[in-house]
């Protein structure tokens, strides 16, 4: 990077930080405790966990409070915290079919196996702003006494399995070796990369970046026009199992919530099996349907177009919020020397023009040299 | 007489127990002055989560889950515990309770009973949750 370091200003920096702390922590309003943030700003907390790549609601809520509600800054804090932690274990591979569903919709098919469970959603209601001046009165709500929950209601068979039964889905099982998954936290992914790298990158991508890239893949200039049907969206809890150090058997140490999506692609390429559909997959921490749906669509788009166009590179290199946000924000740091050298070049060009000698031959700058 | 719980089941249920009840029972277990050594001090860290996605059966890394673990030796028997979150005291207490059972000590049955109580509570929680969710099951009409 070409920006210069800067010395001095320590007192001003400390005073600025102190101003943040005092205004944030000692504002003359009620303190927002962690429990309150988790309960009232659930989706923001979930988004922070997903973009940081660390699941823990209380820690994410603390980051959200410290970041004054900025999800990207909160993710930054959470990732920085995660980087200080030892890795206690690698969990046993999670089977998404183990998910206990809290919400599950199958937009592609009216009567799938198991329920269409709306769960906690405002998808079907008008967005009318409410501005209560105090906590709203609770409605009289008497919880019903439903019949015991069946296995199908707990863990319904996925829509993809139905498509397979009908002979309508391209079957990719067994195509790949059971390769070790790519670990983005140890090594940055660069194209060409295995699918596990793209899935991991999307799972912790910035939500807006992923949605934007998805929209670009639909309407953008790359020509990857493809039919999008959403097979299934789920929000639910998955068990985390680790190997017991004494017995060697898996032990469930708790649950974490995820959102999962399947995207159905209508194949139409010359080399593709046009008699079947292909399926893309998305799964991210917390309740974040926008992200999981974009991920599933981009997974299948990446399978089809990732290697022949810019999509894989865009996915791997431009969707991480800390990467893009960090690069953008570094522009605020002092760039005095860089800019002075640019000014000097302009002056040299002007001086050369004045003497009639013409400009010096152009030299290409290294990538990032202007920053 | 109920069968004793398997070790993995016990560890899983202790991981879901409330911190207060773990600490209270662990204090009771140690009140007889039993020889206890902390082999692995409670440590907060993360568990890397890998998912086997259902389309091609490929594994990918979803992220990390915050967890803590501890290991103790009580009366010559090792107890191990891991819980999600960062409550060091709770995970240490869970390790003590695991060792109490492994050592076949006086309060082993109480540890099992706590685990069974946690299991009952989890079932009740799921039932309450389903009571809230079930009314949102929908059957949309098809437009013809």
């Amino acid at each position: 990077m070409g920006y210069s370091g800067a010395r001095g200003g320590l007192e001003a920096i400390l005073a600025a930080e102190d101003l943040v702390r005092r205004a944030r922590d000692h504002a003359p309003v009620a303190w927002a405790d962690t429990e309150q943030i988790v309960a009232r700003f659930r989706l923001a907390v979930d988004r922070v966990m997903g973009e940081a790549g660390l699941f823990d609601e209380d820690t994410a809520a603390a980051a959200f409070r410290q970041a004054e509600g900025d999800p990207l800054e909160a993710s930054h804090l959470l990732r920085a915290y995660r980087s200080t932690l030892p890795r206690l274990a690698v969990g046993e591979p999670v089977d998404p079919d183990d998910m206990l569903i809290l919400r599950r919709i199958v937009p592609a098919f009216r009567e799938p196996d198991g329920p269409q469970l709306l769960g906690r959603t405002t998808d079907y209601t008008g967005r009318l702003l409410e501005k209560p001046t105090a906590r709203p009165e609770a409605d009289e709500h008497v919880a019903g006494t439903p019949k015991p929950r069946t296995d199908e209601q707990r863990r319904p068979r996925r829509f993809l399995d139905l498509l397979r039964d009908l002979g309508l889905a391209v079957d990719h099982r067994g195509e790949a070796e059971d390769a070790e998954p790519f670990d983005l936290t140890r090594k940055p992914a660069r194209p060409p990369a295995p699918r596990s790298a793209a899935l991991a990158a999307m799972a912790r991508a910035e939500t807006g970046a992923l949605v934007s890239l998805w929209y670009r893949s639909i309407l953008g200039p790359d020509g990857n026009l493809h039919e999008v049907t959403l097979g299934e969206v789920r929000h639910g809890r998955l068990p985390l199992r680790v190997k017991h150090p004494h017995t060697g058997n898996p032990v469930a140490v708790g649950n974490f919530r995820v959102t999962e999506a399947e995207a159905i692609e209508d194949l139409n390429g010359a080399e593709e099996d046009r008699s079947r559909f292909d399926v893309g997959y998305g799964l991210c921490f917390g309740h974040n349907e926008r992200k999981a749906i974009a991920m599933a669509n981009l997974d299948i788009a990446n399978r089809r177009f990732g290697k022949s166009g810019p999509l894989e590179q865009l996915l791997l290199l431009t969707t991480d919020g800390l990467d893009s946000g960090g690069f953008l924000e570094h522009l605020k740091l002092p760039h005095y020397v860089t800019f002075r050298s640019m000014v000097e070049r302009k002056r040299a060009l002007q001086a050369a023009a004045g003497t009639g000698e013409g400009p010096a031959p152009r030299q290409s700058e290294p990538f990032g040299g202007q920053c | 007489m109920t069968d004793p719980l398997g070790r993995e089941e016990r560890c899983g249920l202790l991981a879901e127990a409330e911190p207060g009840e773990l600490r209270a029972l662990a204090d009771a277990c140690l009140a007889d002055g039993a020889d206890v050594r902390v082999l692995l001090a409670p440590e907060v860290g993360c568990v890397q989560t890998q998912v086997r996605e259902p389309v091609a059966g490929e594994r990918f890394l979803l992220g990390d889950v915050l967890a803590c673990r501890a290991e103790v030796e009580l009366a010559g028997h090792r107890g191990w515990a891991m819980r999600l979150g960062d409550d060091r005291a709770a995970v240490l207490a869970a390790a003590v309770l695991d060792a109490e059972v492994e050592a076949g000590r006086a309060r082993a049955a109480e540890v099992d009973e706590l685990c069974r109580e946690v299991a009952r509570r989890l079932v009740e929680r799921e039932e309450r949750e389903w009571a809230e969710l079930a009314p949102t099951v929908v059957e949309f009409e098809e437009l013809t």
Side-chain angles (χ1 to χ4, degrees), chain A residues 30 32 34 37 55 59 63 67 72 75 80 98 100 113 123 132 177 214 221 230 239 259 279 281 310 332 356 368:
Chain A
T34 301
I37 294 169
F55 191 94
T59 309
L72 190 56
S75 303
D98 282 345
L100 177 70
D113 297 315
D123 274 358
E177 302 269 318
W214 165 76
L230 194 54
T259 305
V279 177
Y281 187 71
K332 293 182 286 186

Coordinates of all heavy atoms in Angstrom, one line a residue, chain A residues 30 32 34 37 55 59 63 67 72 75 80 98 100 113 123 132 177 214 221 230 239 259 279 281 310 332 356 368:
Chain A
A30 N -31.4 4.5 29.3 CA -31.3 3.2 29.9 C -30.2 2.4 29.2 O -30.1 2.5 28.0 CB -32.6 2.5 29.9
A32 N -28.5 -0.7 27.5 CA -29.1 -1.9 26.8 C -28.2 -3.1 27.1 O -27.1 -3.2 26.7 CB -29.0 -1.6 25.3
T34 N -27.1 -7.1 27.5 CA -26.9 -8.1 26.4 C -28.2 -8.9 26.1 O -28.5 -9.2 25.0 CB -25.8 -9.1 26.9 OG1 -24.6 -8.3 27.1 CG2 -25.5 -10.2 25.9
I37 N -30.5 -7.0 24.0 CA -30.1 -6.9 22.6 C -30.4 -8.2 21.8 O -30.8 -8.2 20.7 CB -28.6 -6.5 22.5 CG1 -28.4 -5.1 23.0 CG2 -28.1 -6.6 21.0 CD1 -26.9 -4.7 23.3
F55 N -20.5 -18.2 16.1 CA -21.8 -18.3 16.7 C -21.7 -18.2 18.2 O -21.2 -19.1 18.9 CB -22.5 -19.6 16.3 CG -24.0 -19.6 16.7 CD1 -24.9 -19.3 15.7 CD2 -24.4 -20.0 17.9 CE1 -26.3 -19.2 16.1 CE2 -25.7 -20.0 18.3 CZ -26.7 -19.6 17.3
T59 N -22.0 -12.9 22.8 CA -20.8 -12.2 22.4 C -21.1 -11.3 21.2 O -20.6 -10.1 21.1 CB -19.7 -13.2 22.0 OG1 -19.6 -14.2 23.1 CG2 -18.4 -12.6 21.8
A63 N -20.8 -7.2 20.9 CA -20.1 -6.5 19.8 C -21.0 -5.5 19.1 O -20.6 -4.4 18.8 CB -19.6 -7.5 18.8
A67 N -20.3 -1.6 18.9 CA -20.2 -1.0 17.5 C -21.3 0.0 17.3 O -21.5 0.5 16.2 CB -20.2 -2.1 16.5
L72 N -21.3 -4.3 10.4 CA -19.9 -4.6 9.9 C -18.9 -4.4 11.0 O -18.0 -5.2 11.2 CB -19.7 -3.7 8.7 CG -18.4 -4.1 7.9 CD1 -18.5 -5.6 7.5 CD2 -18.2 -3.3 6.7
S75 N -19.1 -7.2 13.4 CA -18.5 -8.4 12.8 C -17.0 -8.3 13.0 O -16.3 -9.3 13.3 CB -18.9 -8.6 11.4 OG -20.3 -8.6 11.2
A80 N -12.1 -10.3 15.4 CA -10.9 -10.0 16.1 C -10.9 -10.8 17.4 O -9.8 -11.4 17.7 CB -10.8 -8.5 16.4
D98 N -30.5 -33.1 10.1 CA -30.8 -33.2 11.6 C -31.5 -31.9 12.1 O -31.7 -31.8 13.3 CB -29.5 -33.4 12.3 CG -29.0 -34.8 12.3 OD1 -29.8 -35.7 11.9 OD2 -27.8 -35.0 12.6
L100 N -33.8 -29.3 13.5 CA -35.2 -29.1 14.1 C -35.7 -27.8 13.6 O -35.2 -26.7 13.9 CB -35.1 -29.1 15.6 CG -36.4 -28.9 16.3 CD1 -37.3 -30.1 16.2 CD2 -36.2 -28.6 17.8
D113 N -43.3 -33.1 1.4 CA -43.3 -33.9 2.7 C -43.1 -33.0 3.8 O -42.3 -32.1 3.9 CB -42.1 -34.9 2.6 CG -42.2 -35.8 1.4 OD1 -43.3 -36.4 1.2 OD2 -41.2 -36.0 0.7
D123 N -43.5 -12.0 6.3 CA -43.4 -12.0 4.9 C -44.8 -11.7 4.2 O -44.8 -11.3 3.1 CB -43.0 -13.4 4.4 CG -41.5 -13.6 4.4 OD1 -40.8 -12.6 4.6 OD2 -41.0 -14.7 4.0
P132 N -44.7 3.2 18.8 CA -45.3 3.3 20.2 C -44.4 4.1 21.1 O -43.2 4.2 20.9 CB -45.2 1.8 20.6 CG -44.2 1.2 19.8 CD -44.1 1.9 18.5
E177 N -14.5 -36.5 -4.3 CA -13.9 -37.2 -3.2 C -14.3 -36.5 -1.9 O -14.7 -35.3 -1.9 CB -12.4 -37.2 -3.3 CG -11.9 -37.8 -4.6 CD -11.6 -39.2 -4.5 OE1 -11.0 -39.6 -3.4 OE2 -11.9 -40.0 -5.4
W214 N -25.7 -11.6 -6.2 CA -26.8 -12.4 -6.7 C -27.6 -11.7 -7.8 O -27.9 -12.2 -8.8 CB -27.7 -12.9 -5.6 CG -29.0 -13.5 -6.1 CD1 -29.1 -14.7 -6.7 CD2 -30.2 -12.8 -6.2 NE1 -30.5 -14.9 -7.0 CE2 -31.2 -13.7 -6.7 CE3 -30.7 -11.6 -5.7 CZ2 -32.5 -13.4 -6.9 CZ3 -32.0 -11.3 -5.9 CH2 -32.9 -12.2 -6.5
P221 N -24.2 -7.6 -16.2 CA -23.6 -7.6 -17.5 C -22.9 -8.9 -17.9 O -22.4 -9.0 -19.0 CB -22.6 -6.5 -17.4 CG -22.2 -6.5 -16.0 CD -23.4 -6.9 -15.2
L230 N -37.1 -21.0 -6.0 CA -36.6 -21.3 -4.7 C -37.2 -22.6 -4.3 O -38.5 -22.8 -4.2 CB -37.0 -20.2 -3.7 CG -36.3 -20.2 -2.3 CD1 -34.8 -20.2 -2.5 CD2 -36.8 -19.0 -1.6
P239 N -27.6 -29.7 15.9 CA -26.8 -30.1 17.0 C -25.3 -30.0 16.6 O -24.9 -30.3 15.5 CB -27.2 -31.5 17.2 CG -27.6 -32.0 15.9 CD -28.2 -30.8 15.2
T259 N -29.9 -20.8 8.9 CA -30.9 -20.7 7.8 C -30.3 -21.4 6.6 O -29.1 -21.4 6.3 CB -31.1 -19.2 7.4 OG1 -31.4 -18.5 8.6 CG2 -32.2 -19.1 6.4
V279 N -29.4 -28.1 -8.5 CA -29.8 -27.5 -7.2 C -28.5 -26.8 -6.6 O -27.5 -27.4 -6.5 CB -30.3 -28.6 -6.2 CG1 -30.6 -28.0 -4.8 CG2 -31.6 -29.2 -6.8
Y281 N -27.0 -24.7 -3.1 CA -27.2 -24.8 -1.6 C -26.7 -23.6 -0.8 O -25.6 -23.1 -1.1 CB -26.5 -26.1 -1.1 CG -26.8 -26.4 0.3 CD1 -28.0 -26.9 0.7 CD2 -25.8 -26.3 1.3 CE1 -28.3 -27.2 2.0 CE2 -26.1 -26.6 2.6 CZ -27.3 -27.0 2.9 OH -27.6 -27.3 4.3
P310 N -16.4 -14.2 -14.5 CA -15.8 -13.6 -13.3 C -16.4 -14.0 -12.0 O -16.0 -13.5 -10.9 CB -16.0 -12.1 -13.6 CG -17.3 -12.0 -14.4 CD -17.3 -13.2 -15.2
K332 N -9.5 6.6 4.8 CA -9.6 7.8 5.7 C -8.3 8.0 6.4 O -8.1 9.1 7.1 CB -10.7 7.5 6.8 CG -12.1 7.4 6.2 CD -13.1 7.2 7.2 CE -13.2 5.8 7.8 NZ -14.3 5.6 8.7
G356 N 7.8 22.3 -23.6 CA 7.6 21.6 -24.9 C 8.3 20.3 -25.0 O 8.5 19.7 -26.1
G368 N -3.0 -1.5 -6.6 CA -3.1 -0.9 -5.3 C -2.1 0.3 -5.0 O -2.1 0.9 -4.0

